[in-house]
Amino acid sequence: MKQRTHSMEERGEMRTLIYQKDWSKTTLGPMEAWPSALRVAVDIMLGAGEAIGIYWGEDLVLLYNDLAREQIGKKHPDALGRPAQEVFPEAWETLGPIHEQVMAGDGPVQLKENYLPLKRDGELEDIWWDSSFNPIPAGDGSVGGVLNISFDVTNRMRHIRETTERLAIALNAANMGTWEWDLEARTVRGDKTMM
């Protein structure tokens, strides 16, 4: 079977930007000198169908694919090749300890429906994320970087909140309450209206 090759344009903007960037002006140094673990991780990231960012080395230098570029908004293209703390200062209080944990070799971190506001387009936006932060092993057995896969679940969370608010208004208007039956514990709990 013949394998189809793709032009640089077909592979995405970020592939072109990453391979054309003068990395010698960053703490990563020239691409030819990158460790094989980083090069493989970049190839995986660029070929993935999810938004992925790579944070490499002590400075956690940021690389990202096209879907992640959409998530960071106007921080692109300046974010490419910069330390993560400089790119996301508004979120570093949350992101810093997560990256430290992964880089220390304490395993991956997974967050579901995590509220983490970002300044994607100049203004701080309320955003919820499903994210995983995974160690990228270096050749010597240590952790060389973090592979971050993220999904913006803001619309889902807003829908849940709006639905919950509408239910509360309807229950209040009808002077009805809600209750929860825990079959395992054999207990029933009700809200104030049920008391």
Side-chain angles (χ1 to χ4, degrees), residues 117-134:
L118 287 182
K119 286 185 179 178
R120 299 193 287 194
D121 295 315
E123 299 289 323
L124 197 61
E125 296 178 55
D126 291 334
I127 310 170
W128 285 262
W129 304 93
D130 283 353
S131 300
S132 64
F133 299 84
N134 307 283

Side-chain angles (χ1 to χ4, degrees), residues 18 21-35 38-39 42 54-64 79-83 144-145:
I18 287 170
K21 185 171 180 70
D22 182 358
W23 290 99
S24 66
K25 295 179 179 176
T26 72
T27 58
L28 294 183
M31 187 179 269
E32 309 81 56
W34 286 4
L38 176 57
R39 284 186 266 130
V42 168
I54 292 173
Y55 302 85
W56 189 263
E58 289 180 24
D59 293 340
L60 298 168
V61 173
L62 178 61
L63 300 99
Y64 49 93
L80 184 63
R82 288 182 49 214

Side-chain angles (χ1 to χ4, degrees), residues 28-167:
L28 294 183
M31 187 179 269
E32 309 81 56
W34 286 4
S36 60
L38 176 57
R39 284 186 266 130
V40 168
V42 168
D43 285 342
I44 290 169
M45 174 190 73
L46 291 172
E50 295 83 26
I52 297 179
I54 292 173
Y55 302 85
W56 189 263
E58 289 180 24
D59 293 340
L60 298 168
V61 173
L62 178 61
L63 300 99
Y64 49 93
N65 65 8
D66 289 283
L67 292 169
R69 177 199 71 219
E70 293 169 16
Q71 288 183 345
I72 66 173
K74 291 182 180 176
K75 291 177 184 271
H76 170 75
D78 295 335
L80 184 63
R82 288 182 49 214
Q85 188 171 0
E86 292 177 11
V87 177
F88 303 112
E90 71 279 15
W92 203 247
E93 186 175 316
T94 300
L95 292 176
I98 292 169
H99 284 87
E100 285 175 21
Q101 178 180 333
V102 177
M103 290 296 288
D106 294 334
V109 174
Q110 190 167 14
L111 303 173
K112 293 287 183 191
E113 300 173 349
N114 183 55
Y115 175 68
L116 185 66
L118 287 182
K119 286 185 179 178
R120 299 193 287 194
D121 295 315
E123 299 289 323
L124 197 61
E125 296 178 55
D126 291 334
I127 310 170
W128 285 262
W129 304 93
D130 283 353
S131 300
S132 64
F133 299 84
N134 307 283
I136 303 171
D140 62 2
S142 66
V143 176
V146 178
L147 183 91
N148 171 226
I149 303 169
S150 292
F151 298 92
D152 182 338
V153 296
T154 303
N155 289 337
R156 179 175 77 202
M157 296 304 295
R158 285 183 178 148
H159 177 71
I160 290 169
R161 185 173 56 206
E162 289 167 6
T163 302
T164 303
E165 288 171 0
R166 283 195 300 265
L167 175 61

